[in-house]
Amino acid sequence: MEKYILALDQGTTSSRAIIFDHAGTVVALAQQEFAQIYPQPGWVEHNPEEIWQSCVQVMQEALQKAKLQASQIAAIGITNQRETTILWDKTTGEPLGNAIVWQDRRTARACDELKQEGYTEFIQKKTGLILDAYFSASKAMWMLDNFPEARRKQKQGSLAFGTIDSWLIWNMTEGEAHVSDVTNASRTMLYNIHTLSWDQELLDIFGISREMLPEVKSSSEIYGYTDERLLGAKIPIAGLAGDQQAALFGQMCIEPGMVKNTYGTGCFMVLNTGTQVVSSQHNLLSTIAWQVGDEVNYALEGSIFVAGAVIQWLRDGLGIIPTAQASESLASSVEDNGGVYFVPALTGLGAPHWDQYARGTMVGITRGATAAHLARAALESIALQTADVLAAMQADTGLPIQQLRVDGGAVANNLLMQIQADFLDATVIRPKVLETTALGAAYLAGLAVGYWASIDEIRQQWQVDQVFSPQLATDKVSAIKTQWQKAVSKAKGWIDSPSF
Ligand code: ADP
């Protein structure tokens, strides 16, 4: 009987299960959304039980849709929203409260205090991360201080800390395995990415005890088996990586200098830096890309807050397009941006600027400017922000970057992809399978159980949909970039204080 790999993609707004065949083709997909809980401005929570139930349901539904027996699943790979933190009781398996989601800002002040105490560089050196509420450590600290019983359970040694991956594997194995992988651990701000171990000094700063922590494993090995009652067979759980790292692997960016960008609400760009940790001089994060076998690959990462969301704003806020797709024909109706620049700093600016005081701005508007110029400027802003991050990556690594592999909802826009190739003076490669996050988790799991023999075998089956090559004259590109930098400088520091 033919065998398949199931990838469980536990995202920020939904959980998805995707079944892949040996060629890496999607056979079935099931998806379920779950509640976003906003108890206060700036707070974002998920119910861990609801997340787990949504995962159970999508796995079962995907099997039904594909008309497969559980015994036909050779392995399960997991990929997940990163940094989101859960505390649970090891004896009962019950969470002490809701998960605090990566977007949650409630610990911003605590992080500012640590900055004032001079910890920024100390933490960056060990973890590769910028001291920020985004990561798990300050969230866990908040939970210990605020969940009733948390400290008592911590003292008793019955408390478990985990990111979503740990929580899912704990439940899938009925509490047999309390594990995580290097990629997820590298986002906690408790894990030393050089020594590949939980760091006692960091644990002390955040008040976390060792017994709470999962055992950290590679990204491709058998962590445990699903309980038979879950899907009807014991299936090895054999691949694990945070979502952006899984996408990097799913894009087969396996050599140093290979980079992927995901164009969704925001953009997530990750560059493989090989077996070396590169510390950024340009506000990028250093992180672990994956560990397969004994080899650990590192990456540089930069996030853009508003990318596809600017197109949503043209649709819903301005009302100049009926659908996101329509941005392409509208922007194509003019030859260029007509001098209009749009900096979509709607929620501040991410990498490489990191300015939470920046706000959106449009400049260069004349009487000739039309909705089409605005649409073009909006698409260009996605490509220009990407070019800024890529320039920072190039400056940090000295690696020549000749191609960008792309995925995410907005890559359907061919004009955007062409503009991107022009602005980078590099080829932009769109793969056939755009489910790169799930595909990466499937590859990692399949490798561990011998479903695929080697990374090389996977690389050979990986398929391109379309390649976009640079066409615009370089003097035109540099003129656009100069104007863009001027526009960015207008957007920076606009508000006096962020609301949280
Ligand atoms: P997320 O996972 O962040 O929700 P998706 O990968 O589903 O995002 O992509 C959706 C985003 O892509 C939306 O912000 C939408 O505006 C944008 N988008 C979708 N189709 C297009 C298109 N054809 N052109 C430009 N942007 C698009």
Side-chain angles (χ1 to χ4, degrees), residues 13 262-266 268 307-313 315 324-328 379 382 407-414 416:
T13 56
T262 301
Y263 297 76
T265 307
F268 287 96
V310 74
I311 304 301
Q312 278 169 336
W313 184 75
R315 185 192 63 193
Q325 290 92 304
S327 63
E328 184 169 353
L379 289 177
I382 301 174
D407 52 52
V411 302
N413 190 316
N414 287 331
L416 172 61

Side-chain angles (χ1 to χ4, degrees), residues 26-298:
V26 175
V27 174
L29 184 155
Q31 177 165 6
Q32 194 174 312
E33 292 192 2
F34 50 84
Q36 305 293 314
I37 304 161
Y38 305 109
Q40 293 188 31
W43 293 29
V44 190
E45 298 180 356
H46 292 155
N47 178 337
E49 298 286 5
E50 195 187 345
I51 286 201
W52 166 236
Q53 284 313 320
S54 71
C55 289
V56 173
Q57 281 168 23
V58 293
M59 286 192 287
Q60 291 173 346
E61 196 186 320
L63 280 172
Q64 280 161 11
K65 278 188 174 168
K67 299 196 172 58
L68 294 177
Q69 303 294 320
S71 56
Q72 286 176 272
I73 301 298
I76 295 176
I78 299 176
T79 177
N80 56 286
Q81 52 166 319
R82 304 174 302 172
E83 296 107 11
T84 298
T85 304
I86 303 175
L87 294 188
W88 69 93
D89 184 324
K90 286 187 207 173
T91 44
T92 64
E94 280 180 20
L96 271 67
N98 279 338
I100 302 186
V101 179
W102 57 273
Q103 299 150 323
D104 190 293
R105 303 301 305 166
R106 81 184 65 179
T107 56
R109 197 161 294 142
C111 290
D112 282 345
E113 281 165 20
L114 288 171
K115 276 184 208 157
Q116 275 151 21
E117 289 166 38
Y119 280 115
T120 306
E121 243 182 75
F122 180 82
I123 288 177
Q124 203 213 359
K125 272 206 179 117
K126 286 171 182 271
T127 65
L129 305 174
I130 291 171
L131 180 42
D132 190 87
Y134 201 79
F135 305 101
S136 314
S138 65
K139 300 181 195 295
M141 183 167 75
W142 188 94
M143 289 170 153
L144 284 167
D145 288 339
N146 289 277
F147 287 161
E149 301 287 291
R151 290 281 182 209
R152 190 179 60 76
K153 287 181 199 283
Q154 184 186 25
K155 281 205 187 86
Q156 279 176 351
S158 61
L159 194 61
F161 157 96
T163 38
I164 294 282
D165 53 308
S166 297
W167 170 245
L168 295 181
I169 295 186
W170 172 276
N171 281 286
M172 286 165 109
T173 61
E174 297 260 322
E176 291 273 315
H178 184 207
V179 296
S180 186
D181 89 301
V182 287
T183 68
N184 278 294
S186 76
R187 315 298 294 191
T188 59
M189 199 164 262
L190 301 169
Y191 193 72
N192 188 314
I193 62 170
H194 306 271
T195 62
L196 301 175
S197 56
W198 297 116
D199 190 289
Q200 192 58 50
E201 289 178 307
L202 295 174
L203 299 183
D204 292 343
I205 292 172
F206 292 101
I208 313 290
S209 42
R210 241 162 224 278
E211 309 84 76
M212 295 166 59
L213 299 170
E215 187 184 344
V216 182
K217 306 246 181 180
S218 77
S219 315
S220 179
E221 64 179 276
I222 296 177
Y223 311 99
Y225 293 80
T226 57
D227 190 90
E228 202 164 342
R229 283 164 296 180
L230 182 62
L231 300 170
K234 273 171 93 91
I235 305 171
I237 305 157
L240 188 51
D243 50 11
Q244 300 311 321
Q245 285 92 334
L248 190 70
F249 199 72
Q251 286 275 23
M252 279 285 107
C253 290
I254 52 177
E255 307 284 348
M258 292 182 83
V259 55
K260 73 93 193 170
N261 192 17
T262 301
Y263 297 76
T265 307
C267 276
F268 287 96
M269 219 174 316
V270 187
L271 168 82
N272 186 332
T273 61
T275 53
Q276 303 299 320
V277 182
V278 174
S279 329
S280 178
Q281 307 300 313
H282 299 89
N283 293 319
L284 303 173
L285 306 179
S286 312
T287 201
I288 298 179
W290 54 73
Q291 180 186 353
V292 176
D294 289 334
E295 192 173 292
V296 176
N297 267 251
Y298 292 91

Side-chain angles (χ1 to χ4, degrees), residues 319-399:
I320 61 169
I321 43 171
T323 60
Q325 290 92 304
S327 63
E328 184 169 353
S329 50
L330 182 59
S332 298
S333 69
V334 284
E335 253 176 42
D336 55 33
N337 63 21
V340 178
Y341 289 82
F342 182 3
V343 184
L346 310 183
T347 56
L349 284 172
H353 309 288
W354 285 108
D355 185 347
Q356 55 180 335
Y357 302 95
R359 284 299 176 269
T361 188
M362 271 177 228
V363 292
I365 298 169
T366 59
R367 286 191 71 165
T370 63
H373 293 112
L374 265 188
R376 189 145 190 134
L379 289 177
E380 287 188 355
S381 78
I382 301 174
L384 284 161
Q385 291 184 94
T386 298
D388 283 349
V389 177
L390 216 71
M393 288 177 164
Q394 215 147 3
D396 277 338
T397 58
L399 288 168

Side-chain angles (χ1 to χ4, degrees), residues 351-484:
H353 309 288
W354 285 108
D355 185 347
Q356 55 180 335
Y357 302 95
R359 284 299 176 269
T361 188
M362 271 177 228
V363 292
I365 298 169
T366 59
R367 286 191 71 165
T370 63
H373 293 112
L374 265 188
R376 189 145 190 134
L379 289 177
E380 287 188 355
S381 78
I382 301 174
L384 284 161
Q385 291 184 94
T386 298
D388 283 349
V389 177
L390 216 71
M393 288 177 164
Q394 215 147 3
D396 277 338
T397 58
L399 288 168
I401 294 168
Q402 281 143 355
Q403 56 162 249
L404 176 71
R405 296 192 172 186
V406 299
D407 52 52
V411 302
N413 190 316
N414 287 331
L415 175 64
L416 172 61
M417 295 298 102
Q418 184 56 50
I419 290 173
Q420 187 68 83
D422 289 339
F423 289 179
L424 293 179
D425 196 21
T427 47
V428 168
I429 297 184
R430 186 169 64 198
K432 270 220 168 96
V433 176
L434 286 173
E435 299 287 355
T436 54
T437 308
L439 186 60
Y443 283 158
L444 289 165
L447 277 172
V449 297
Y451 183 79
W452 288 292
S454 64
I455 293 182
D456 220 42
E457 182 189 340
I458 294 172
R459 189 199 336 226
Q460 278 167 25
Q461 63 159 248
W462 193 87
Q463 283 184 351
V464 171
D465 167 51
Q466 199 166 334
V467 176
F468 300 85
S469 305
Q471 285 169 359
L472 195 62
T474 46
D475 58 330
K476 283 199 173 148
V477 174
S478 47
I480 291 170
K481 285 187 172 170
T482 305
Q483 291 302 92
W484 163 253

